[in-house]
Amino acid sequence: MQNHLYTYDIPDDVNLGGSIAIDTETMGLCCHRDRLCLIQISTGEGNCYLVHFPEPDFSKSTNLVNALEDDSTEKIFHYGRFDLAVLIQSFKINIKNVYCTKIASKLVRTYTDKHSLKHLCSDLLGVSLDKTEQSSDWGAPTLSPEQLNYAGSDVVYLHNLKEKLDALLVREGRMELAKACFEFLPYRAMLDLMVADNFDIFSH
Ligand code: MN
């Protein structure tokens, strides 16, 4: 894996291709309170583009926003519900054509209740992920090499996981259901942004 670190945007000459894996690091898990600090993008070929936001200035990210708003580009997340809410809120954009490895896992790996990225990597790819930097200070003006390596490792396996999960979705006859869930996911994130307290439009 090769990490490329940038500030506020990716350069003009970076070609991300038609399918990107995306993760975000924030100051915490409450998208109303906790600002975006880092976006990681993997092209699936070993390159990872890290975009650092030392300050919460989301007005200088033209290339990044163009990539996120390109409906022909597939965006793979793990627990995209959170990342989508953070991205929609920070950049005031719509994001379509998304895939979530956690949702796919919940639809097919019904033999377990363990759907974290760490568990998926271990179970489906035989890869052991080190999550020690997960709860570090992502708002720091300079990120440590350990933080950058960790951040890259959070996106670099998502294409491989998607391939494995797609095969399982087909095998179990749940691809159509999965696609409907992925299509709804950005709207689920918008509902999270509308009401802070787990607003569930499907509950009684
Ligand atoms: Mn992460």
PDB file of all heavy atoms in Angstrom, residues 21 31 34 51 74-75 78 89 96 107 131 134 140 182 190 201:
ATOM      1  N   ALA A  21     -12.825   3.276  -2.672  1.00  0.00           N
ATOM      2  CA  ALA A  21     -13.185   2.962  -1.294  1.00  0.00           C
ATOM      3  C   ALA A  21     -12.898   4.198  -0.447  1.00  0.00           C
ATOM      4  O   ALA A  21     -11.862   4.838  -0.614  1.00  0.00           O
ATOM      5  CB  ALA A  21     -12.377   1.775  -0.793  1.00  0.00           C
ATOM      6  N   CYS A  31     -21.917  13.237  14.446  1.00  0.00           N
ATOM      7  CA  CYS A  31     -21.632  14.071  13.264  1.00  0.00           C
ATOM      8  C   CYS A  31     -22.131  15.504  13.437  1.00  0.00           C
ATOM      9  O   CYS A  31     -21.709  16.392  12.705  1.00  0.00           O
ATOM     10  CB  CYS A  31     -22.120  13.427  11.972  1.00  0.00           C
ATOM     11  SG  CYS A  31     -23.726  12.695  12.046  1.00  0.00           S
ATOM     12  N   ASP A  34     -18.843  16.612  15.898  1.00  0.00           N
ATOM     13  CA  ASP A  34     -17.438  16.264  15.681  1.00  0.00           C
ATOM     14  C   ASP A  34     -17.007  16.485  14.243  1.00  0.00           C
ATOM     15  O   ASP A  34     -17.538  15.883  13.328  1.00  0.00           O
ATOM     16  CB  ASP A  34     -17.213  14.804  16.088  1.00  0.00           C
ATOM     17  CG  ASP A  34     -17.588  14.592  17.538  1.00  0.00           C
ATOM     18  OD1 ASP A  34     -17.318  15.497  18.359  1.00  0.00           O
ATOM     19  OD2 ASP A  34     -18.176  13.533  17.858  1.00  0.00           O
ATOM     20  N   VAL A  51      -6.551  12.806   2.451  1.00  0.00           N
ATOM     21  CA  VAL A  51      -6.767  14.256   2.401  1.00  0.00           C
ATOM     22  C   VAL A  51      -7.000  14.752   3.823  1.00  0.00           C
ATOM     23  O   VAL A  51      -8.011  14.425   4.457  1.00  0.00           O
ATOM     24  CB  VAL A  51      -7.957  14.611   1.485  1.00  0.00           C
ATOM     25  CG1 VAL A  51      -8.096  16.129   1.401  1.00  0.00           C
ATOM     26  CG2 VAL A  51      -7.771  14.013   0.098  1.00  0.00           C
ATOM     27  N   GLU A  74     -18.406   4.390  -8.348  1.00  0.00           N
ATOM     28  CA  GLU A  74     -18.905   3.628  -7.202  1.00  0.00           C
ATOM     29  C   GLU A  74     -18.076   3.978  -5.964  1.00  0.00           C
ATOM     30  O   GLU A  74     -16.858   4.064  -6.036  1.00  0.00           O
ATOM     31  CB  GLU A  74     -18.771   2.141  -7.501  1.00  0.00           C
ATOM     32  CG  GLU A  74     -19.133   1.264  -6.323  1.00  0.00           C
ATOM     33  CD  GLU A  74     -18.862  -0.205  -6.615  1.00  0.00           C
ATOM     34  OE1 GLU A  74     -17.711  -0.542  -6.933  1.00  0.00           O
ATOM     35  OE2 GLU A  74     -19.809  -0.989  -6.535  1.00  0.00           O
ATOM     36  N   LYS A  75     -18.767   4.201  -4.836  1.00  0.00           N
ATOM     37  CA  LYS A  75     -18.064   4.524  -3.587  1.00  0.00           C
ATOM     38  C   LYS A  75     -18.332   3.427  -2.561  1.00  0.00           C
ATOM     39  O   LYS A  75     -19.475   3.225  -2.153  1.00  0.00           O
ATOM     40  CB  LYS A  75     -18.526   5.867  -3.034  1.00  0.00           C
ATOM     41  CG  LYS A  75     -18.242   7.066  -3.933  1.00  0.00           C
ATOM     42  CD  LYS A  75     -19.536   7.664  -4.422  1.00  0.00           C
ATOM     43  CE  LYS A  75     -19.338   8.596  -5.592  1.00  0.00           C
ATOM     44  NZ  LYS A  75     -20.566   8.592  -6.445  1.00  0.00           N
ATOM     45  N   HIS A  78     -17.321   1.197   4.652  1.00  0.00           N
ATOM     46  CA  HIS A  78     -17.698   0.261   5.704  1.00  0.00           C
ATOM     47  C   HIS A  78     -18.412   1.069   6.780  1.00  0.00           C
ATOM     48  O   HIS A  78     -17.825   1.964   7.376  1.00  0.00           O
ATOM     49  CB  HIS A  78     -16.470  -0.451   6.312  1.00  0.00           C
ATOM     50  CG  HIS A  78     -16.875  -1.425   7.377  1.00  0.00           C
ATOM     51  ND1 HIS A  78     -17.363  -2.677   7.083  1.00  0.00           N
ATOM     52  CD2 HIS A  78     -16.916  -1.315   8.719  1.00  0.00           C
ATOM     53  CE1 HIS A  78     -17.674  -3.305   8.198  1.00  0.00           C
ATOM     54  NE2 HIS A  78     -17.418  -2.486   9.205  1.00  0.00           N
ATOM     55  N   GLN A  89     -22.704  16.528   5.328  1.00  0.00           N
ATOM     56  CA  GLN A  89     -22.755  17.716   6.181  1.00  0.00           C
ATOM     57  C   GLN A  89     -21.578  18.666   5.898  1.00  0.00           C
ATOM     58  O   GLN A  89     -21.755  19.878   5.804  1.00  0.00           O
ATOM     59  CB  GLN A  89     -22.736  17.304   7.648  1.00  0.00           C
ATOM     60  CG  GLN A  89     -22.579  18.475   8.602  1.00  0.00           C
ATOM     61  CD  GLN A  89     -22.963  18.110  10.017  1.00  0.00           C
ATOM     62  OE1 GLN A  89     -24.114  18.196  10.396  1.00  0.00           O
ATOM     63  NE2 GLN A  89     -21.990  17.666  10.786  1.00  0.00           N
ATOM     64  N   LYS A  96     -24.297   9.585  -4.434  1.00  0.00           N
ATOM     65  CA  LYS A  96     -25.038   8.394  -4.893  1.00  0.00           C
ATOM     66  C   LYS A  96     -24.062   7.309  -5.324  1.00  0.00           C
ATOM     67  O   LYS A  96     -22.865   7.539  -5.355  1.00  0.00           O
ATOM     68  CB  LYS A  96     -25.952   8.769  -6.060  1.00  0.00           C
ATOM     69  CG  LYS A  96     -27.145   9.603  -5.618  1.00  0.00           C
ATOM     70  CD  LYS A  96     -27.996  10.002  -6.802  1.00  0.00           C
ATOM     71  CE  LYS A  96     -29.169  10.858  -6.297  1.00  0.00           C
ATOM     72  NZ  LYS A  96     -29.851  11.515  -7.421  1.00  0.00           N
ATOM     73  N   LEU A 107     -26.333  -8.851   5.714  1.00  0.00           N
ATOM     74  CA  LEU A 107     -27.318  -9.560   4.900  1.00  0.00           C
ATOM     75  C   LEU A 107     -26.908 -10.996   4.587  1.00  0.00           C
ATOM     76  O   LEU A 107     -27.762 -11.825   4.269  1.00  0.00           O
ATOM     77  CB  LEU A 107     -27.555  -8.799   3.584  1.00  0.00           C
ATOM     78  CG  LEU A 107     -28.373  -7.504   3.687  1.00  0.00           C
ATOM     79  CD1 LEU A 107     -28.387  -6.767   2.352  1.00  0.00           C
ATOM     80  CD2 LEU A 107     -29.801  -7.799   4.130  1.00  0.00           C
ATOM     81  N   LYS A 131      -6.086  -2.001  15.022  1.00  0.00           N
ATOM     82  CA  LYS A 131      -6.969  -0.843  15.218  1.00  0.00           C
ATOM     83  C   LYS A 131      -6.497   0.058  16.361  1.00  0.00           C
ATOM     84  O   LYS A 131      -7.287   0.874  16.869  1.00  0.00           O
ATOM     85  CB  LYS A 131      -8.401  -1.330  15.510  1.00  0.00           C
ATOM     86  CG  LYS A 131      -9.059  -2.142  14.412  1.00  0.00           C
ATOM     87  CD  LYS A 131      -9.352  -1.354  13.142  1.00  0.00           C
ATOM     88  CE  LYS A 131     -10.642  -0.574  13.192  1.00  0.00           C
ATOM     89  NZ  LYS A 131     -10.925   0.121  11.893  1.00  0.00           N
ATOM     90  N   GLN A 134      -7.225   3.822  16.226  1.00  0.00           N
ATOM     91  CA  GLN A 134      -8.613   4.202  15.935  1.00  0.00           C
ATOM     92  C   GLN A 134      -9.065   5.416  16.750  1.00  0.00           C
ATOM     93  O   GLN A 134      -9.619   6.360  16.217  1.00  0.00           O
ATOM     94  CB  GLN A 134      -9.533   3.016  16.230  1.00  0.00           C
ATOM     95  CG  GLN A 134     -10.984   3.260  15.882  1.00  0.00           C
ATOM     96  CD  GLN A 134     -11.790   1.966  15.865  1.00  0.00           C
ATOM     97  OE1 GLN A 134     -11.519   1.048  16.634  1.00  0.00           O
ATOM     98  NE2 GLN A 134     -12.751   1.879  14.982  1.00  0.00           N
ATOM     99  N   ALA A 140      -5.257  16.703  15.325  1.00  0.00           N
ATOM    100  CA  ALA A 140      -3.898  17.227  15.477  1.00  0.00           C
ATOM    101  C   ALA A 140      -3.442  17.911  14.187  1.00  0.00           C
ATOM    102  O   ALA A 140      -3.795  17.468  13.092  1.00  0.00           O
ATOM    103  CB  ALA A 140      -2.947  16.085  15.829  1.00  0.00           C
ATOM    104  N   PHE A 182     -28.451  -0.104  -0.310  1.00  0.00           N
ATOM    105  CA  PHE A 182     -27.370   0.840  -0.671  1.00  0.00           C
ATOM    106  C   PHE A 182     -27.960   2.133  -1.261  1.00  0.00           C
ATOM    107  O   PHE A 182     -27.471   3.217  -1.011  1.00  0.00           O
ATOM    108  CB  PHE A 182     -26.403   0.215  -1.686  1.00  0.00           C
ATOM    109  CG  PHE A 182     -25.727  -1.033  -1.192  1.00  0.00           C
ATOM    110  CD1 PHE A 182     -25.339  -2.030  -2.087  1.00  0.00           C
ATOM    111  CD2 PHE A 182     -25.470  -1.217   0.163  1.00  0.00           C
ATOM    112  CE1 PHE A 182     -24.711  -3.183  -1.641  1.00  0.00           C
ATOM    113  CE2 PHE A 182     -24.840  -2.370   0.617  1.00  0.00           C
ATOM    114  CZ  PHE A 182     -24.466  -3.352  -0.286  1.00  0.00           C
ATOM    115  N   MET A 190     -28.998  11.289   5.648  1.00  0.00           N
ATOM    116  CA  MET A 190     -29.648  12.605   5.720  1.00  0.00           C
ATOM    117  C   MET A 190     -30.638  12.660   6.871  1.00  0.00           C
ATOM    118  O   MET A 190     -30.780  13.693   7.532  1.00  0.00           O
ATOM    119  CB  MET A 190     -30.373  12.895   4.405  1.00  0.00           C
ATOM    120  CG  MET A 190     -29.434  13.281   3.271  1.00  0.00           C
ATOM    121  SD  MET A 190     -30.417  13.638   1.794  1.00  0.00           S
ATOM    122  CE  MET A 190     -29.374  12.923   0.552  1.00  0.00           C
ATOM    123  N   ILE A 201     -37.755   6.310  10.859  1.00  0.00           N
ATOM    124  CA  ILE A 201     -39.027   6.500  10.162  1.00  0.00           C
ATOM    125  C   ILE A 201     -39.803   5.194  10.018  1.00  0.00           C
ATOM    126  O   ILE A 201     -40.974   5.214   9.651  1.00  0.00           O
ATOM    127  CB  ILE A 201     -38.824   7.100   8.749  1.00  0.00           C
ATOM    128  CG1 ILE A 201     -37.781   6.306   7.969  1.00  0.00           C
ATOM    129  CG2 ILE A 201     -38.441   8.572   8.828  1.00  0.00           C
ATOM    130  CD1 ILE A 201     -37.763   6.629   6.493  1.00  0.00           C
TER     131      ILE A 201
END
